[in-house]
Amino acid sequence: MEKTLGDIYPQELRPTNPYHPMNLIQKNYLSPVKVLMLAALLLCASACNQSDPEIPSQPNEAFWKISSTVSFAEGSSAIIITGTTGTEWSAEITEGKAWCSFSSTDFVNATVKKGTVKDGLNVLYVYYKANTGLEERKANLSFAFAGESPQMFELTQLSKEQVNLPSFKAWAELPAAKENANYQYATHYTSLSNQRIRNYSICFDKTRKAALWVAYPLHNAYLNGSGGRTDAWAFDPIVPFIYQPNCVERSYKGNYDRGHQLPSADRVATNEMNAQTFYMSNMTPQLDRLNQDMWARLETKVRANKCSDTLYVVTGAYFGANVTTTADGAGSTVPIPTNYFKVLLRTKSGTTGKQIKDCSESELISMGVWVEHRSYGNIDPPRSICMSVAEIESKTGFTFFPQVAAAVKQQNNPTQWGIN
């Protein structure tokens, strides 16, 4: 039985503070001036023995700013600390002290650090030396707010020659591997409930500066939690920077968005999980009126088909005939996809508790969509973009969902997927 993430990892519950002044400002509900006026009124009401509810304090939290996996080169990562002003905290590197430190100049004594939550941004920097070995290595950090149980953080540093290859024969969402010197396969992992789980896998084409496909499971465990949209635009630490588009500071030129293949909204359980969707390897230059309109509605339709058994998704960019170009944020030329596609696979009931490879043909449903890179208008996904997975295999040359029978990939029933 293939346990879903919801079975293995409980939902991460985080107390919310909708009335905290900083939240009111950040969500644009109130301007800073109005928040000060509100605070003055609350103080006045308190002085007059009124029964207005007390504004709750901000919850104490700590999380990786971008990712718990870093490249082989020396550098630093960061843990963001939020909480009630004045709360004391302590951190200790418990494993990896020889190469990991809270100081960029002292890798002997700076393995313990204490502090107090202050107003504004609180950051705990974690510095690491270059990994000259042949294998990845891990450091463990213990972090605790005063009076609370310690929280464990794991930092994984890759080796120089290492990539995190996907488990092609084990994960149902993965297409079959295809040999090409220009392709780089990689899987990004993330932490959830103190476990290391897969986030998504890519087939990155170095000549196109884009992933030809991004494969990922979709389940409530990836959607329910304390995270949100991070806008943490960054280079992928696994793919060499020279092959990635440089849109960290600004988008592509022209009317092109930094279009996610794995949507940010599909990964909001934790901030680390979401931040990895902002890697440049997950981006393509996507026409703004496609990205923000029909494509966004299509992503919502896909999310609506999640199930307890897990929905398996592959999103891809296709470069057909007459490819045109634009420039990335740094002015370098990048090709523009002529088409986008998605292929979907899940159990029909959504509650079999079986692995995909153990399901009969009658228990599985699949579908594909093939999208021209143009504006469709702000409409729901039309039936005209729907086709079978087998047809998209024929167009792209990739073999999707190799664990299932060919008959399953011949299906094309849009209504079954909520597309009318």
Side-chain angles (χ1 to χ4, degrees):
M1 173 178 176
E2 181 178 22
K3 293 185 178 179
T4 64
L5 289 174
D7 296 326
I8 301 173
Y9 310 114
Q11 295 180 0
E12 298 178 349
L13 300 179
R14 166 187 178 183
T16 58
N17 300 290
Y19 304 110
H20 191 277
M22 287 305 299
N23 287 339
L24 295 174
I25 293 173
Q26 292 171 357
K27 295 180 182 295
N28 297 318
Y29 295 152
L30 292 177
S31 68
V33 172
K34 289 182 178 180
V35 169
L36 290 175
M37 293 173 64
L38 174 62
L41 288 173
L42 290 172
L43 288 173
C44 180
S46 177
C48 296
N49 295 319
Q50 298 297 317
S51 58
D52 288 336
E54 181 181 355
I55 297 177
S57 60
Q58 187 174 356
N60 298 324
E61 287 190 289
F63 51 87
W64 286 114
K65 180 181 179 182
I66 296 180
S67 176
S68 58
T69 301
V70 297
S71 71
F72 71 92
E74 68 175 324
S76 66
S77 190
I79 294 174
I80 303 299
I81 302 168
T82 65
T84 304
T85 302
T87 302
E88 296 181 347
W89 56 264
S90 61
E92 180 180 2
I93 298 171
T94 58
E95 184 178 340
K97 296 180 180 181
W99 58 275
C100 201
S101 173
F102 294 127
S103 168
S104 61
T105 58
D106 186 353
F107 280 81
V108 177
N109 302 306
T111 58
V112 176
K113 193 175 182 70
K114 296 182 179 181
T116 302
V117 177
K118 300 177 182 177
D119 290 333
L121 183 66
N122 292 260
V123 182
L124 173 62
Y125 288 101
V126 181
Y127 300 90
Y128 45 85
K129 296 179 180 179
N131 184 4
T132 57
L134 299 178
E135 298 180 352
E136 70 176 38
R137 58 186 181 183
K138 299 181 184 297
N140 289 319
L141 296 78
S142 175
F143 182 95
F145 290 99
E148 298 184 14
S149 299
Q151 180 180 351
M152 298 305 298
F153 289 87
E154 184 178 80
L155 181 69
T156 301
Q157 185 180 33
L158 304 176
S159 65
K160 186 174 183 178
E161 302 300 327
Q162 180 187 17
V163 293
N164 284 344
L165 290 174
S167 295
F168 282 105
K169 296 181 179 180
W171 301 336
E173 75 272 14
L174 290 175
K178 189 176 180 180
E179 291 297 327
N180 189 308
N182 294 318
Y183 293 175
Q184 179 174 342
Y185 296 102
T187 295
H188 289 292
Y189 293 87
T190 186
S191 299
L192 185 64
S193 300
N194 294 321
Q195 298 291 327
R196 189 177 188 235
I197 63 168
R198 72 186 185 275
N199 197 356
Y200 63 95
S201 302
I202 62 173
C203 172
F204 190 85
D205 187 338
K206 298 173 184 177
T207 65
R208 303 291 190 183
K209 292 192 173 183
L212 299 183
W213 55 252
V214 179
Y216 48 97
L218 189 56
H219 186 277
N220 274 337
Y222 289 98
L223 299 170
N224 298 336
S226 62
R229 184 182 174 96
T230 60
D231 286 306
W233 309 100
F235 287 109
D236 188 323
I238 297 178
V239 178
F241 294 171
I242 59 172
Y243 300 122
Q244 299 182 54
N246 187 347
C247 291
V248 175
E249 298 297 332
R250 58 187 64 85
S251 188
Y252 300 92
K253 305 297 183 183
N255 298 321
Y256 294 100
D257 289 344
R258 291 173 285 193
H260 288 64
Q261 295 206 60
L262 166 58
S264 164
D266 283 3
R267 292 293 189 263
V268 291
T270 70
N271 286 297
E272 177 190 358
M273 185 183 291
N274 183 265
Q276 291 180 358
T277 71
F278 286 88
Y279 286 161
M280 293 297 101
S281 59
N282 190 41
M283 302 299 140
T284 67
Q286 191 171 47
L287 192 65
D288 53 3
R289 292 276 54 90
L290 174 61
N291 181 49
Q292 299 172 37
D293 296 335
M294 192 276 284
W295 185 260
R297 291 177 179 237
L298 174 61
E299 291 174 336
T300 300
K301 287 283 187 183
V302 171
R303 273 192 296 278
N305 282 280
K306 66 183 186 299
C307 62
S308 294
D309 282 343
T310 300
L311 169 66
Y312 298 100
V313 185
V314 183
T315 299
Y318 179 74
F319 298 84
N322 302 317
V323 171
T324 58
T325 63
T326 184
D328 63 17
S332 298
T333 300
V334 291
I336 301 171
T338 57
N339 301 85
Y340 291 96
F341 64 87
K342 288 182 182 288
V343 290
L344 314 174
L345 174 70
R346 53 163 283 183
T347 58
K348 186 180 300 183
S349 70
T351 57
T352 65
K354 296 181 180 179
Q355 295 186 38
I356 288 294
K357 62 183 179 63
D358 295 330
C359 291
S360 64
E361 293 180 16
S362 63
E363 291 178 297
L364 298 174
I365 56 175
S366 73
M367 194 189 72
V369 294
W370 184 259
V371 176
E372 296 178 14
H373 196 174
R374 63 175 177 85
S375 173
Y376 286 74
N378 194 15
I379 63 171
D380 283 335
R383 293 177 68 94
S384 61
I385 68 173
C386 299
M387 60 180 60
S388 70
V389 173
E391 288 178 277
I392 296 181
E393 287 182 328
S394 177
K395 289 178 177 292
T396 63
F398 287 108
T399 300
F400 300 107
F401 309 131
Q403 293 185 8
V404 306
V408 175
K409 295 190 283 186
Q410 295 288 346
Q411 300 175 12
N412 182 17
N413 186 351
T415 303
Q416 204 170 28
W417 295 86
I419 297 178
N420 301 309

